Amino acid sequence: MTVGNALIPTAAGRRRAAWCALWLGLASLLLLVLGTAVGSTGLESLTHMGDDPVARQIVWDIRLPRTLGAWLAGALLGLAGAVAQGLFRNPLADPYLLGSASGAALGGAVAMAMFGVSPVAAQWIARIGITGMAFLGAAGAVVLTLVLARGVQHTLRLLLAGVIVGVVLGALRDLVELASPDILQAMQAFILGSTAFVGWIACTLMGAAWALCALLAWVLARALDGLTLGEATAASLGLPLAPMRAGLVAAMALATGTAVAQTGLIAFVGLAAPHLVRSIVRVTHERHILLSSLMGAVLLLAADILARWMLAPQELPVGVLTAALGGTYLLWLMHRRTAHGGGL
């Protein structure tokens, strides 16, 4: 039920949200199992796990962490997308609006130029250096955006500052690539997005980040509900908007930076997941954020499995597949809403 633009929870809405969460959970379990069976060696590795140490290593050390990592990265991006759309009160907002994507790409490019290696390098020191620099770049971009916007009080100023920071850092990344042309192929892999190099350490980091961000966003979800009524009304309700906004921006930045540092730039998951949830059930942000996180996890894991399976034993970059599918879905949604006289 809605009053103005604000949602009031009802028993029917809560039941529908619970069913949605259940179905997304079951889909996650099914896809996690399916993910262990998809790879260059097909089902052979899965069926010979008991008597073949190589097959066991392929499943436990490569497929399982990759599959779980895709789920966690999608969960982080879905959560960040729901927070971004609620915070900016714009259904077209995505997790990269504060410049985190450009910052992560710049950090990764600088690290590759320094180490002279690609993300597929076997040296674990180089690998940690690239992901660490990507995360620092994403965090630095968000901090720079906040400085330019003079805090989080003005949403429009924050949005404009994020766009400017993204453009400037993107130009700096181009300069780094021109100065070190040997990293161009590696940067292409980073920009297109891939879960191929996610290991158990990355899964642990993303799992911890998801738990922290989900808790923080859930606690501060009242601010997003209040903002649907407008800034003045939200302030009149006694909500401390400035610190709550700061906490939500921190959750969005941490979720986005962690996912991008481990998997590269994966498009449309954070944008499409909240839209899909809204098309199924309309609930308060407290539930919407968690459902969007589950939806993002299912979307990215399904896309990753499809990317591995379509051209096996080769594979497509998962970011290309999510961009194609996500863009097609949003175009269809825009056409449907326009035909019915509505908007996104």
Side-chain angles (χ1 to χ4, degrees), residues 11 141 190 280 326:
F190 183 87
I280 297 170

Side-chain angles (χ1 to χ4, degrees), residues 126-211:
R127 177 65 181 149
I128 291 174
I130 293 171
T131 55
M133 285 289 287
F135 179 80
L136 289 177
V142 173
V143 171
L144 181 58
T145 298
L146 294 176
V147 170
L148 290 177
R150 300 175 187 174
V152 296
Q153 290 83 1
H154 301 285
T155 303
L156 181 58
R157 185 187 295 168
L158 188 64
L159 181 60
L160 292 175
V163 172
I164 293 169
V165 167
V167 171
V168 172
L169 295 186
L172 291 177
R173 185 203 75 208
D174 292 339
L175 289 175
V176 173
E177 291 176 350
L178 287 173
S180 303
D182 55 310
I183 70 170
L184 285 174
Q185 186 175 358
M187 278 304 301
Q188 184 182 37
F190 183 87
I191 292 170
L192 293 178
S194 175
T195 61
F197 315 110
V198 174
W200 286 115
I201 294 177
C203 288
T204 302
L205 291 174
M206 286 193 287
W210 179 81

Side-chain angles (χ1 to χ4, degrees), residues 26-45:
L26 291 174
S28 296
L29 289 175
L30 178 62
L31 289 170
L32 286 170
V33 173
L34 183 61
T36 63
V38 177
S40 59
T41 57
L43 287 171
E44 183 179 346
S45 295

